[in-house]
Amino acid sequence: MAERGVDVSALPQEVREQLAELDLELSEGDITQKGYEKKRAKVLAPYLTQTQTYDAQSPGPSSASAPEPGPSNSSSSSSHHRRTRRPHRSSGTRDERYRSDIHTEAVQAALAKHKEEKMALPMPTKRRSAYVQSPIDNCTPPDSSSSSDDEAVSSESAGPQQSPDTWINSSLHGSSTSSSASSTLSHGESRPTQAPQPQSQQPSALAEAFTQTRIDPVGVGPPDMPSQAQARGSRVDLPSNAVVRGMSRGQSRSSMMETADGVPVSSRVSTKIQQLLNTLKRPKRPPLSEFFMDDQEEIVEVPQADPNTPKPEGRQIIPVKGEPLGVVSNWPPALQAALARWGATQGKSPALTALDITGKPLYTLTYGKLWSRSVKLAYTLLNKLGTKNEQILKPGDRVALVYPNSDPGMFWVAFYGCLLAEVIPVPIEVPLSRKDAGSSQVGFLLGSCGVGLALTSEICLKGLPKTPIGEILQFKGWPRLKWVVTDSKYLTKPSKDWQPHIPTANTDTAYIEYKASKEGTVMGVAVSKVAMLTHCQALTQACNYCEGETLVNVLDFKKDMGLWHGVLTSIMNRIHTISVPYAVMKACPQSWVQRVHIHKARVALVKCRDLHWAMMAHREQRDTSLASLRMLIVADGANPWSVSSCDAFLNVFQAHGLKPEVICPCATSPEAMTVAIRRPGVAGAPLPARAVLSMTGLSHGVIRVNTEDKNSALTVQDVGHVMPGALMCIVKPDGPPMLCKTDEIGEIVVNSRAGGTMYYGLSGVTKNTFEVIPVNASGTPIGEIPFVRSGLLGFVGPGSLIFVVGKNEGLLMVSGRRHNADDLVATALAVEPVKTVYRGRIAVFSVTVFYDERIVIVAEQRPDASEEDSFQWMSRVLQAIDSIHQVGLYCLALVPANTLPKTPLGGIHISDTKQLFLEGALHPCNILMCPHTCVTNMPKPRQKQPVGVGPASIMVGNLVAGKRIAQAAGRDLGLIEDQDLVRKHHFLTEALQWRAQTDPDHTLYVLLNAKGVAVCTATCVQLHKRAEKIAAALMERSGINIGENVVLLYPPGIDLIAAFYGCLYAGCIPVTVRPPHPQNLSATLPTVRMIIDVSKAACILTTQVLTKILRSKEAAATVNIKTWPIIIDTDDLPRKRPPTIYKPPNAEMIAYMDFSVSTTGMLTGVKVSHAAVSVLCRSIKLQCELYSSRQIAICLDPYCGLGFVLWCLASVYSGHQSILIPPMELEISLTLWLGTLSQYRIRDTFCSYSVMELCTKGLGGQTDILKARGVNLSCVRSCVVVAEERPRLALTHSFSKLFKDIGLSMRAVSTAFGSRVNLAICLQGTTGPDPSTVYVDMKSLRHDRVRLVERGAPQSLPLMESGTILPGVRVIIVNPETRGPLGDSHLGEIWVNSPHNATGYYTIYGEENLQADHFNTKLSFGDPQTLWAKTGYLGFVKRTELTDSSGDRHDALFVVGSLDETLELRGLRYHPIDIETSVSRAHRSIGESAVFTWTNLLVVVAELCGSEQDALDLVPLVTNVVLEEHHLIVGVVVIVDPGVIPINSRGEKQRMHLRDSFLADQLDPIYVAYNM
């Protein structure tokens, strides 16, 4: 617009007055939009030149903002957004508070208030993909060849094509909701010289914020951030700011520059998170006082009423009586009789005119024709459908009427034909496809009404969807129907003596009108013959219908007002009806106005939408006159926004002869039929008053005239008086039907002969609706007569006028307050939606999440709205609803145009939309969740009690606080039978030498490749010889001394084992390290480098291939390759024997070092002594009964923990044969592991979770193929998953179930558990009882308690015992804070005491205190002598009913999770895996998920397996499930591609590494949603 760049407030006073006058003229309809713009431009022209020198090429006003005609553009000329608040002159007698566009002004005022608060919401980050591309984002000017299709055909681009420059400019200045300049220009196009942003341009409350949050291309940092990207090494097993256990924090090599909060500076994500935090810090409205105490067994609500809640104070309402129904002598005894009379006496008189698609008359049906055709149809239905003897239809049968909206004539004939045949018509919509919105619900209606026959026209039948063989499709949920065509040529003329039977109207059902409930169920309201007749009489009296009048009907003639006035009452009064179908309205919106003009119609029957469309198109109808109208019936006049539509329409058409008193709003419902209608007024009489109600009062169900804050006011118009012959009262909408007080909002109930009688076929539901007897305050019924619930909420105003403020089905009950869906729509519409969403396509509904209703708004976005506009519109809607209705929105979603399920007449099908939302099938293109703002009923954060050792925890014998101490032990290691083995086995090197001498050719190791072929074997003597060769090479090298650390860098295999023993022979300390991945050096090499640096290795032993990689150019790009220690390639060493084989002076010397990266990104290296090695091997030998003749299969990574022990140590100690299967070979051949187990008849096998998952996912469906190949797992006695985490019950269970078919015993799978301080604490083994499973309450776990519950209890979590405790191991459960022992079934830290505990962390600077803390800790009371090691895992011990090998009761150890990983939120302790399990269940498209926290925000990362259009569906579902199941509000939801979440070799998620990648913006997410 021309004045965009002018600061109106700076203009001279008289100019401002001129502008205000113009605004007024426009709003009152005295001037057209075009004229307004011309005059305005003229007034502002002198001031434009001064301020807008740089905007010379800005497009003219006509192309930028003139709304083009037709319903597609809905900016009504009167609600044009004012930029200046004009001085109000009083408009006649109307008080300015009663003006209907007050709502728009209120919204703008509320937004302006927010603007001052400078609220900055971070915009979601969306990957630029095939996803809704918006023109501003495709950085191509519209005239370039690559313009996107939807933009080219967009209805808005009516103006001439512009040059690229103007395009850039207009994107800056052309839309009132466009964001500020720098955001659009951050794309780096040629910039116009940037002038300071003029103040008056009122972009939106958030433009400033978006300057900061624009999603910028890499390299352009947010304005307040340095733009150079800091160097950042990404690692797989190690995040960039890894902490090394044992290194002092000062030396933590964090190369990143960090801000005060530890946020990497150049990260855009963290800026957004900072912004989100700032938004969340803003004071919220006071939270509800009803807190939940999460601490109790159940969540308890403590409601405390707010003392300031307005309460009704009036007296009890007295039922309101309508005027008596007049008795007119010649009223027909039944409606059919009226048709018979007019058919006979006024046969030529027109009954119905139908229009074609262009709005021209198509045919006119006379009363004679209507009568004769209806009689023919009635005769055919009763006599001609079956064979001669059988009658298919009997009077009282139900028949479906399926006619398109464009063919009223056929419908009329069918309807009256059914009435004459005394069968019951059930009009329904024409089904268009199997997937119609609500189609199965229509099936429910047909079923409950027992419909078996459907009448339709020939054209309609041809258009119905067919099967390939030409039969009509069986629609979803529909009963089988017989279809009958009712075109005249197929009807039989009755014989002379046949006359239809027309009895006097009685209480039998005449017709059934369908009605959809709030939940989407479609029910049939039965209307009796007498009710139909009485209703027509009442309408005739109320509307003063006269014989021979003309009526224009724009409504659906199949139901409601369209049927009652346009089909039934019109026949009674011999009215000529002109039916204007929806399709015509869409094509030419002013057609109904033209029909009124041409036919001089006395009555028109419309909805607000039709008024609106007619206004949009009124410029083309200069000469139309509406002076003939005596009644303009507004069918949805009870809607809150109808006021402004009526006023605006009157404003525009008063000049065309429309009289103010003819506008007659009315209130109806399918059950009570017409509840109230405003009678046509007398010219010159004062217009009825409006009620200006306080929104706050309404939400508490009371009527308060709004006096103070005019922003939160609702203006409602009356809907006239009660119908003639009816009695009405207002009762409480929920609970017993108690009469309301006079100042209380309630449900309108009506007693009248003219109302529905029942929901057909549903007697239970009928009783509560059609047979309501109101009771007074004491609970006694006020009389005998039953009332019908109308489903309308309202009150009786002065002069017995009825006011309706909403519908029961649009009622949203949020934390005890009522909100009306229509009101919220009205507010959303007042936020200038024209550029962003379609006016009539907004759905508002509530979903129940976390003990309350939450409001969701879904709207269809225009194809030409930019991301920024949409987000801005959404944020403004949030603010407007917040300040006007004082309620927070839970979710606001925009979907692409034309994707919401529609009702047949173009409205949005709310219940289907809600269903899609809850199923995650809505596919929005923009979404904004605000759980932080609207979820105010969270439990109080837990206050931790100060810890102290109280008297309750004093121990008596083995009891603490009256319970057995939670401790458990494996069996004794006992003496070894073979005494001389003890001496040999003091050191593993001696064991290997002893085996090489006594049993040289016994094969210890077999290594398999992907084909299952043994590529390498090692006998005892071969292994010994290879170890000697390596030892000799080490000893020869100068600079490698005894006791120095040597890194072994080998792929999984026998070379690794030989190098390990070679090191021991040479007296060096081996450190096994996973080799770097040749395809991913940048991610994997830094970890290798780090371990080499931290362990101060003197030398690297490796293969020839890896030597080349370490020295390659690619490696040099990632690390400094000049500083590697000595590299020895062990592939072709000369055959040499070392001069001596080193023997350590005592068994406490270190044997090897075990380095591993924990899931929290800690790199820890522990020292394992020779004594620990031999005890551990002996313990495993006893537990698994291993000896020389046994074979075991190992499919594990051999670099750390128990995997390394089993791969390298156990066989040399026990002499069994190990078949080695490198896990990476499984990726090439999935069946390798299972095939090997079957082929070698293996009894014991060890694997990792990642191996199990690979087999479950990859082979789950192929058990038949495996069976056919002869794979049989019945030989497997134990399959142990080696892990350092809580057992993954779901995975082990599904693995057992899947492979049960090929012989795997359900008891075979079990788990092992180890930690850094002790590599093997539990291992199921062959002895001992089966692992037990318990169910614990998740809520109690959060409070660090264990409450055992039954299987299937809500919020229960199954936990499996982690395997039998190894011989020689004792565990105790300790309170981590007091260090005191805990009782049985209490949650605490697992401490372990065992001869094979590790000796300590390997520290460079020897920080002994850290070591002592973890490895040599004593209890604070009880048994203060024993030294324990802290595992860092939470768990509990439970004594079971089972007995162990010694005959005692078995104590089971349950591991809950690592302390380091737990998230402390709201004073409670959460285990990420529990939240992730819930998230993965939320939607079928979620694969893996991971959670972490960042500055108290919970971040959920979910991998999307489905199509990218599902991405935004996941946001609300993830938020819901975490809120429901964990009582946490998700701060950020990140949707990424599959495989993005890093998983280490043990199958554990690297959550901290993920967190660092997210904050450093390296994830390339599909979508990031910041929840408000």
Side-chain angles (χ1 to χ4, degrees), residues 541-544 602-603 627-633 658-665 677-688 718-721 801:
Q541 182 172 330
C543 302
N544 208 352
R602 304 278 291 140
V603 182
S628 61
L629 277 182
R630 65 176 186 83
M631 234 185 147
L632 175 60
I633 301 175
L658 180 68
K659 298 183 279 295
E661 66 273 9
V662 307
I663 295 180
C664 299
I677 185 165
R678 194 188 289 173
R679 316 297 195 256
V682 185
L687 291 175
D718 68 280
V719 285
H721 292 94
L801 285 175

Side-chain angles (χ1 to χ4, degrees), residues 257-327:
M257 232 171 85
E258 296 193 345
T259 57
D261 296 343
V263 183
V265 189
S266 63
S267 146
R268 131 182 133 207
V269 174
S270 44
T271 335
K272 290 217 172 159
I273 291 182
Q274 204 41 60
Q275 223 170 345
L276 180 54
L277 287 171
N278 298 345
T279 312
L280 298 181
K281 273 183 205 140
R282 276 179 37 259
K284 265 199 268 190
R285 78 173 59 88
L288 294 179
S289 44
E290 36 198 300
F291 272 123
F292 295 128
M293 300 308 292
D294 193 8
D295 208 37
Q296 315 302 328
E297 303 299 51
E298 277 310 307
I299 285 196
V300 189
E301 195 176 340
V302 190
Q304 286 167 343
D306 176 2
N308 303 326
T309 307
K311 293 191 176 56
E313 293 150 6
R315 54 181 171 73
Q316 189 175 301
I317 191 167
I318 300 162
V320 182
K321 220 174 173 157
E323 74 244 38
L325 193 55
V327 181

